[in-house]
Amino acid sequence: MKHVPELFYLPEMLTNEYSINFGTTQVGRNLDSVKLPPWAQTPVDFIHKHRMALESEHVSAHLNEWIDLIFGYKQLGREAILSNNMFLYITYEGTVDINKISDPVQQCATRNKIAYFGQTPSQLLIVPHMKKMPLSETIFRNPRAVKPYAVPRPECCNLPASAIHACSDALIIVGTNAPAAHIAQHKWQPNTPDDQGTPFMFEHGKAIASSAGGALIRMLKMPAGSGSDEEQFPQALAYASSGIRSSSIVSITCDKEIVTGGHADNSIKLLSSDGAKTLETAFGHCAPVTCLALSPDNNYLVTGSRDTTVLLWRIHRALTSSSSSTSEATADPGTPTPTTGTLANTLAEKSRKHRIEGPIHVLRGHHNEVICCCVNSDLGIVVSCGHSSDVLLHSIRKGCLMRRFAGVVADTVCLSSAGIILTWNQSQHVLRTFTLNGIPVATAKVPSFGGLSCMEISVDGNSALIGMNSSSNGVLHVLKLGKGQDIAALALDKDNTNLLVSTADKQLIIFTNPTLSKKMAEKKPKVGRENGREETQGW
């Protein structure tokens, strides 16, 4: 796990990048870039340390005290006097009505006093503001307390995996033969101890051997009488293109659906997790898709191809039964003009037919095959890299090329929620971070005997998970696996409390802090007693 600096403002605002003439000071010195204090090495370091101080646990723990003074119960009255929080009387809201002052000189003087002394904000609270909850027990906060737990009966887990997705109630695992991969959906509940002493509950998914697609694949590709356990899960019907990494062409949505590339017909497909059925097929590339990625909010999909282009798609969420029932309730059959209901049904039917919309933009600039891409809709940025070519940044809104990181060759790229780009160069064995303007932030050299298998940045953008087949230097903490347990895929749950790792020897290992599940277990009975009933745990 490597720490990734997060920025609040871009550090470029502190530098005179375009050599603008701002004049001189009173002593004749030219005004140029902001002069940094001795404790800041670079503008990036200056912004980062301010962000860390403002969001530290100490500041967060006392933030309510500041709110009480400015907006809360300590703004007025006896509590304000005890807190030495008194100001000029005319600065308080409602104390003086300017329009009722008849003397123009007195009215002007009062206006000037208010203008010079300022205005006290409106009082919003008359009771103490509650304290901010302490930071959750993520695996990054106390990594030494994190322990590995192997999932029992791993032969029933569809391993090794090319992609893993952890929800609050389910675990989706896609096999390594993507796009013609087996898909398993398991039930699990994180941070909830079971009766075996494990800090999570896990129930293996049921195999669907009668799936038509899986039966056809077995008939065409599997030897007769093959009894391996992974074949019991449904398998997607696909014709794969050769020479493409399976982990690069699989992504799992928040609706528990799978998007795959690498098909021989140059398409991308949307699959169901409960039966590996093809829900939708979309075309746009002139060559097989070699990489794809979803935005964190699952609204956009970006795909790279051997045709050297990157395509941007829009993803529509699956319609739930509640939304469809609402649309039906809107259209009253007794009214003579059901135009609104008809239009809603038409749009719903259209979105139901076309879950993958696009391509919206064709992003150009690479000269060779695109090998990795990522997208963030909040930042409005698409980042991509190709074989022996620069890292490119494109705009989501216009699809234009915004920046080229000249000379930065990467085999894998990741984009954090704060606008930090993390790159990995396999030949140089170097991890590097950049701002969106291409300014280098940090560099970490990895030993030459180490190989990076997968890389992911946490949702908050503060940390990165790097799956390697050997230990590395310059990291925050190393979670070591057993001998020969090369990492095939890894995933974080939403609150960063569980790290799921699939290994090449078909093991599923979950790293978590066991004390968190104990705290959760202690809270649940207390909540049940307060509500006058006993909480029971079930699926």
Side-chain angles (χ1 to χ4, degrees):
M1 295 181 289
K2 188 168 186 61
H3 186 73
V4 178
E6 187 180 13
L7 304 182
F8 188 61
Y9 297 109
L10 290 177
E12 288 82 350
M13 65 185 298
L14 303 176
T15 59
N16 187 11
E17 186 177 354
Y18 299 102
S19 301
I20 300 174
N21 184 11
F22 292 110
T24 60
T25 64
Q26 293 179 344
V27 296
R29 294 179 182 176
N30 292 329
L31 288 173
D32 196 33
S33 299
V34 174
K35 187 176 180 180
L36 300 176
W39 48 264
Q41 300 177 358
T42 63
V44 174
D45 184 49
F46 178 82
I47 297 295
H48 173 59
K49 286 179 178 176
H50 273 84
R51 178 67 180 269
M52 297 299 292
L54 289 173
E55 296 194 355
S56 64
E57 290 192 47
H58 176 79
V59 173
S60 297
H62 297 277
L63 186 62
N64 60 298
E65 300 173 10
W66 175 82
I67 297 175
D68 291 335
L69 290 171
I70 307 301
F71 305 101
Y73 78 108
K74 290 184 178 181
Q75 187 195 88
L76 296 170
R78 182 173 178 272
E79 292 292 340
I81 298 175
L82 295 176
S83 303
N84 195 22
N85 192 35
M86 301 298 295
F87 299 92
L88 189 65
Y89 73 98
I90 62 175
T91 64
Y92 291 93
E93 184 181 32
T95 304
V96 177
D97 189 349
I98 299 293
N99 298 323
K100 290 185 177 180
I101 302 177
S102 57
D103 186 358
V105 177
Q106 184 69 24
Q107 187 183 63
C108 182
T110 304
R111 288 182 183 275
N112 290 335
K113 285 182 180 179
I114 295 176
Y116 283 109
F117 284 99
Q119 184 72 47
T120 304
S122 301
Q123 187 179 25
L124 303 180
L125 304 170
I126 58 175
V127 294
H129 191 281
M130 63 182 300
K131 273 192 169 186
K132 182 180 179 181
M133 296 292 291
L135 296 175
S136 60
E137 296 288 342
T138 67
I139 62 173
F140 304 107
R141 188 183 182 193
N142 188 14
R144 298 188 182 278
V146 174
K147 296 181 180 179
Y149 296 88
V151 174
R153 296 169 56 207
E155 66 277 2
C156 301
C157 292
N158 190 33
L159 300 170
S162 62
I164 306 175
H165 180 70
C167 306
S168 59
D169 60 347
L171 192 64
I172 313 298
I173 298 179
V174 181
T176 54
N177 293 325
H182 294 276
I183 299 174
Q185 181 172 341
H186 309 285
K187 294 181 180 180
W188 93 308
Q189 193 160 352
N191 308 324
T192 304
D194 61 3
D195 54 0
Q196 305 294 327
T198 307
F200 56 85
M201 299 182 71
F202 189 93
E203 181 180 328
H204 293 85
K206 296 181 180 179
I208 310 176
S210 60
S211 172
L216 181 58
I217 287 292
R218 283 192 293 273
M219 215 163 58
L220 293 175
K221 295 186 176 182
M222 303 293 180
S226 177
S228 63
D229 293 318
E230 64 176 359
E231 296 171 13
Q232 295 179 3
F233 291 101
Q235 186 176 15
L237 178 61
Y239 299 95
S241 180
S242 61
I244 299 177
R245 268 196 332 172
S246 62
S247 59
S248 302
I249 55 171
V250 179
S251 191
I252 306 173
T253 71
C254 56
D255 292 325
K256 305 175 186 178
E257 296 170 343
I258 298 97
V259 182
T260 61
H263 300 275
D265 60 356
N266 310 332
S267 67
I268 54 175
K269 295 183 184 295
L270 184 68
L271 309 174
S272 65
S273 59
D274 55 354
K277 298 176 182 178
T278 302
L279 303 177
E280 188 170 323
T281 303
F283 297 90
H285 286 284
C286 301
V289 173
T290 53
C291 59
L292 58 83
L294 285 164
S295 60
D297 57 7
N298 280 219
N299 288 333
Y300 289 96
L301 169 71
V302 63
T303 58
S305 171
R306 285 176 178 166
D307 61 9
T308 72
T309 65
V310 178
L311 298 185
L312 180 67
W313 312 76
R314 189 183 297 274
I315 302 295
H316 296 285
R317 296 290 301 273
L319 291 177
T320 59
S321 57
S322 58
S323 62
S324 60
S325 62
T326 304
S327 300
E328 292 173 3
T330 305
D332 187 359
T335 56
T337 56
T339 308
T340 305
T342 304
L343 179 60
N345 292 334
T346 303
L347 294 175
E349 186 65 25
K350 183 177 180 181
S351 64
R352 201 176 359 249
K353 290 181 179 178
H354 302 285
R355 296 279 305 284
I356 303 177
E357 177 190 346
I360 301 174
H361 294 300
V362 180
L363 313 179
R364 306 182 187 276
H366 291 288
H367 305 294
N368 298 304
E369 173 184 327
V370 183
I371 56 177
C372 190
C373 55
C374 52
V375 58
N376 189 296
S377 55
D378 292 334
L379 299 173
I381 295 294
V382 175
V383 183
S384 58
C385 63
H387 278 304
S388 303
S389 63
D390 304 328
V391 175
L392 304 183
L393 269 67
H394 287 85
S395 167
I396 286 181
R397 191 166 67 91
K398 294 185 177 180
C400 59
L401 178 63
M402 299 178 60
R403 192 168 297 274
R404 179 187 294 271
F405 291 4
V408 180
V409 179
D411 297 282
T412 306
V413 291
C414 283
L415 179 61
S416 78
S417 57
I420 291 293
I421 300 171
L422 176 64
T423 67
W424 162 255
N425 186 295
Q426 180 66 38
S427 60
Q428 299 176 1
H429 289 264
V430 170
L431 284 165
R432 302 177 70 182
T433 51
F434 300 87
T435 67
L436 293 180
N437 286 333
I439 296 179
V441 177
T443 301
K445 180 73 174 179
V446 178
S448 57
F449 54 82
L452 185 144
S453 58
C454 45
M455 185 166 66
E456 182 179 347
I457 295 180
S458 60
V459 177
D460 57 11
N462 287 327
S463 306
L465 286 167
I466 300 168
M468 308 195 68
N469 296 334
S470 63
S471 61
S472 58
N473 295 329
V475 300
L476 175 67
H477 189 70
V478 177
L479 301 176
K480 294 184 178 180
L481 302 179
K483 185 177 180 181
Q485 290 185 327
D486 292 343
I487 297 175
L490 55 81
L492 273 172
D493 59 353
K494 191 173 182 179
D495 56 2
N496 296 337
T497 57
N498 289 265
L499 167 63
L500 299 94
V501 178
S502 167
T503 63
D505 61 349
K506 299 184 179 182
Q507 298 290 321
L508 181 59
I509 302 173
I510 299 178
F511 290 90
T512 186
N513 187 345
T515 59
L516 179 60
S517 64
K518 294 180 181 179
K519 292 179 181 179
M520 297 292 289
E522 292 173 356
K523 290 180 180 179
K524 286 185 178 181
K526 185 182 296 184
V527 172
R529 287 194 298 269
E530 290 175 355
N531 294 335
R533 58 184 176 85
E534 183 178 356
E535 296 284 346
T536 57
Q537 185 65 53
W539 293 104

